[in-house]
Amino acid sequence: MKALKLLFVITFLCSFFLPSPEADSCTSNLSLNVSIPFDTTNLLCLSVWDAQSFILRYAQTYANIWSFILSTPDTNSYIAMGFSVSGGMVGSSAMVGWVASRGASGGIKQYYLGGVTPNQVVPDKGNLQVIANSTFITLQNSRLFMVFQLQTADPLSSLIFATGSTGLFPAPPSFALTKHLDKVSTRIDYSKANIGSSQGDGNSSQVDGSTSQAPDSCVSNLNLSVPLLFDTTNLNCLPVWNAQGYILRYSQTSPNIWSFILSAPNTNSYIAMGFSPNGGMVGSSAIVGWISSNGAGGGMKQYYLTGLAPNQVVPDRGNLKVLTNSTFITSQSSRLYMAFQLQTNQPLSRLIYAFGPNGVFPSAPSFALTQHQDKVSITLNYATGSSALGKSYMNLKRSHGVLNILGWGILIIMGAIVARYFREWDPFWFYFHASVQFLGFVLGVIGVISGFVLNNQLHVDVTLHKALGIIIFVLACFQVMALLGRPKKESKVRKYWNLYHHNMGRILIILAVANIFYGIQLGKEGSGWNIGYGIVLAILLTMALTFETQLCSKD
């Protein structure tokens, strides 16, 4: 019995070091337990989707042979890598891979995205010339590794990465692909292994006859073919969305006048620049510009985002004081240049950039804005000209998860075990129980606060997760108040207090464990987090059952 209790204490100390999924990065060596049909020693490596930990390795093996290895966390869903002419999903060809049931089955197929509906995503078709017997996918250390080779002089540089819904995989006979759960688009300069190159697709001139895009950068001079109403010689410049080649130039013309020029690739879609009070889309005001049909028509409008539904994005409204006759958009050298001036002492620093679906533009009379195809949020320091990606919320998301797992999901359980099975170690058990529960309460409260901050940034629907979190927090507050009002042992009401305190604690633990696993699923952290917490939970449960058996035998 003493040995088991000693093991419990050791588990308590080790619980602070939760096992996490095996990481992969461009600084780690690629070591797969299966043979690959090409040399992997000289592969170039890029982090192509930081938010989902997607790592791409590639190399040009021969003059017309390109080899790829996409490494992603195993979230029990399919993964996809698409090659696009314009950066949009429609018209792209994608390699899709999956491993179902913890490695029991899997596969890889090429899909052609002829449209946005599921029946327009066609398996075993596409513009990629995949080399025979070069494709395979494997699951290793909680990560998927998808391998394939293409026969092409230059792969398209506009890439799309996506993940599918949990537990839904293509299956015979149709191998239909369900809608992606999340996606991101980016551009790659294969020769330099850089994300966000503004060069055109390598094969674009062969596919649609368009000329390649002329690059724009902060080291090149702004040379527009149309005059602007403000001086452009002293504009500050910074890249604000490397993955899409967005360049922002701005300056403070007078104490209350700010001038902006947003430069973006012309992907035959609208472009948008939003000013947000909190980093989220809801409540922000955006300047949206477009030029359609190869320059035949275009326009600019302010939109106010009162909500996420299309009918809640209202044209000609917003909190931006746009100077009259200062707005202008032009297409030049395959890029859009959107210029405008704002009357304000200091523009909002939380900015959102987005672009719309290919070929779909606002039009009279409603000028309704279709949902963006991709977006990014940044924080801009106007004084220094520096920016930071808004996707730092990933750190906040994981901090939220770790704090709640440690607080509600481990320490509270340990404190309950001590209170029930360690009473012969009086008064040690009481002080240990109170200290551990208080530490768990503090970590849990910080985790709840970080969750509210995260929800305020992301504006995602996590109603059930948030409701359970609030209930757990309220129950924990009741437990703390009950401890402060704990009657003496000889008191007649002590047995009722015990009944309340013990059962309230059990309910709290059950809800906390359920909400932790649900939160891991919502956060798409993969099976590694589930397994890691599940192992700690199994150890605690095994100890509790063992102690309970010993206690029953004594009685």
Side-chain angles (χ1 to χ4, degrees):
M1 187 71 172
K2 290 183 178 180
L4 282 174
K5 292 182 176 179
L6 179 60
L7 179 59
F8 175 83
V9 175
I10 295 173
T11 304
F12 168 76
L13 296 175
C14 293
S15 67
F16 286 96
F17 305 98
L18 278 174
S20 59
E22 290 289 334
D24 184 22
S25 70
C26 290
T27 59
S28 62
N29 294 325
L30 180 67
S31 179
L32 297 181
N33 53 16
V34 292
S35 59
I36 298 177
F38 54 83
D39 184 18
T40 63
T41 55
N42 296 317
L43 294 176
L44 298 171
C45 184
L46 280 172
S47 176
V48 290
W49 194 1
D50 290 338
Q52 296 293 342
S53 188
F54 274 41
I55 303 293
L56 179 65
R57 294 176 173 88
Y58 68 92
Q60 185 176 12
T61 312
Y62 300 103
N64 62 343
I65 302 294
W66 288 76
S67 305
F68 296 88
I69 301 179
L70 179 63
S71 161
T72 76
D74 175 30
T75 56
N76 195 33
S77 62
Y78 71 73
I79 60 173
M81 176 178 173
F83 296 79
S84 172
V85 174
S86 63
M89 294 187 65
V90 177
S92 64
S93 301
M95 298 300 299
V96 179
W98 63 94
V99 175
S101 304
R102 296 186 179 179
S105 61
I108 288 187
K109 280 187 177 290
Q110 181 180 180
Y111 285 78
Y112 180 69
L113 284 73
V116 293
T117 59
N119 63 343
Q120 293 175 302
V121 182
V122 188
D124 297 320
K125 287 191 176 182
N127 298 320
L128 303 177
Q129 297 184 25
V130 184
I131 294 180
N133 301 321
S134 72
T135 63
F136 76 88
I137 189 167
T138 181
L139 173 62
Q140 184 172 315
N141 295 330
S142 298
R143 289 187 70 88
L144 295 175
F145 293 85
M146 184 171 71
V147 181
F148 59 94
Q149 288 184 296
L150 301 181
Q151 183 175 347
T152 178
D154 290 298
L156 295 175
S157 61
S158 292
L159 303 180
I160 302 171
F161 299 93
T163 60
S165 300
T166 303
L168 298 179
F169 304 96
S174 66
F175 286 97
L177 199 66
T178 56
K179 185 178 180 180
H180 59 270
L181 186 64
D182 199 3
K183 73 173 182 70
V184 72
S185 59
T186 187
R187 297 177 66 86
I188 287 186
D189 185 334
Y190 290 100
S191 61
K192 299 178 181 178
N194 285 337
I195 292 288
S197 167
S198 58
Q199 295 176 358
D201 296 328
N203 292 346
S204 61
S205 61
Q206 299 174 9
V207 176
D208 59 10
S210 63
T211 59
S212 63
Q213 294 178 3
D216 183 22
S217 70
C218 288
V219 297
S220 61
N221 294 325
L222 181 65
N223 186 19
L224 296 181
S225 58
V226 291
L228 296 179
L229 297 179
F230 53 87
D231 183 18
T232 63
T233 56
N234 296 316
L235 295 174
N236 297 307
C237 181
L238 73 158
V240 289
W241 194 0
N242 286 331
Q244 296 297 337
Y246 275 45
I247 304 291
L248 178 66
R249 295 174 172 89
Y250 70 93
S251 68
Q252 186 177 11
T253 311
S254 63
N256 63 341
I257 301 296
W258 289 77
S259 304
F260 296 89
I261 301 177
L262 178 64
S263 163
N266 186 0
T267 57
N268 195 34
S269 62
Y270 71 74
I271 60 174
M273 177 178 174
F275 296 79
S276 171
N278 55 17
M281 294 188 65
V282 177
S284 65
S285 301
I287 300 294
V288 180
W290 63 93
I291 292 180
S292 61
S293 304
N294 296 323
M300 284 180 65
K301 280 185 177 293
Q302 180 179 180
Y303 286 79
Y304 183 60
L305 285 73
T306 62
L308 298 177
N311 62 349
Q312 294 176 305
V313 181
V314 187
D316 296 320
R317 285 185 57 190
N319 298 320
L320 303 176
K321 295 183 178 180
V322 184
L323 291 188
T324 306
N325 300 323
S326 72
T327 60
F328 186 82
I329 187 167
T330 183
S331 177
Q332 184 173 313
S333 300
S334 298
R335 291 185 70 86
L336 295 177
Y337 292 85
M338 184 171 72
F340 58 95
Q341 288 184 295
L342 301 181
Q343 182 177 348
T344 178
N345 291 327
Q346 179 71 46
L348 294 175
S349 60
R350 307 294 291 273
L351 304 179
I352 301 172
Y353 300 93
F355 66 90
N358 184 273
V360 181
F361 304 95
S363 59
S366 67
F367 287 97
L369 198 66
T370 55
Q371 185 177 355
H372 58 269
Q373 184 167 297
D374 202 1
K375 71 176 180 69
V376 72
S377 61
I378 72 164
T379 300
L380 174 61
N381 186 326
Y382 290 98
T384 62
S386 60
S387 65
L389 273 178
K391 286 188 177 179
S392 60
Y393 71 81
M394 284 301 299
N395 294 329
L396 180 61
K397 183 180 76 170
R398 292 188 175 178
S399 297
H400 165 71
V402 170
L403 286 169
N404 284 299
I405 289 174
L406 284 175
W408 307 127
I410 294 179
L411 292 178
I412 295 294
I413 298 176
M414 284 185 163
I417 291 175
V418 168
R420 181 167 177 80
Y421 305 114
F422 284 67
R423 286 182 175 269
E424 71 270 21
W425 292 8
D426 196 47
F428 165 79
W429 77 266
F430 176 75
Y431 294 114
F432 187 86
H433 167 71
S435 300
V436 170
Q437 298 298 76
F438 181 72
L439 178 59
F441 175 76
V442 171
L443 293 179
V445 169
I446 298 173
V448 169
I449 294 172
S450 65
F452 277 106
V453 174
L454 186 66
N455 183 247
N456 186 53
Q457 290 184 3
L458 299 184
H459 294 285
V460 294
D461 184 12
V462 290
T463 305
L464 178 59
H465 183 62
K466 183 165 63 174
L468 288 174
I470 293 173
I471 293 172
I472 293 166
F473 170 70
V474 171
L475 291 177
C477 290
F478 285 158
Q479 291 291 77
V480 172
M481 290 188 290
L483 183 63
L484 297 176
R486 179 171 172 256
K488 295 181 179 180
K489 291 182 180 179
E490 58 272 15
S491 173
K492 292 182 178 181
V493 299
R494 179 60 181 264
K495 63 178 181 180
Y496 300 108
W497 182 91
N498 286 337
L499 186 66
Y500 159 82
H501 185 62
H502 298 164
N503 289 321
M504 192 75 73
R506 293 185 181 103
I507 295 172
L508 189 156
I509 289 173
I510 292 171
L511 292 179
V513 170
N515 207 29
I516 285 170
F517 282 114
Y518 182 48
I520 292 173
Q521 178 185 348
L522 288 176
K524 296 180 287 186
E525 290 294 345
S527 58
W529 283 70
N530 282 318
I531 293 171
Y533 179 60
I535 290 172
V536 174
L537 196 63
I539 293 173
L540 294 175
L541 181 61
T542 301
M543 288 183 173
L545 291 174
T546 305
F547 292 149
E548 188 69 26
T549 303
Q550 295 286 342
L551 192 63
C552 290
S553 63
K554 284 184 180 181
D555 294 340

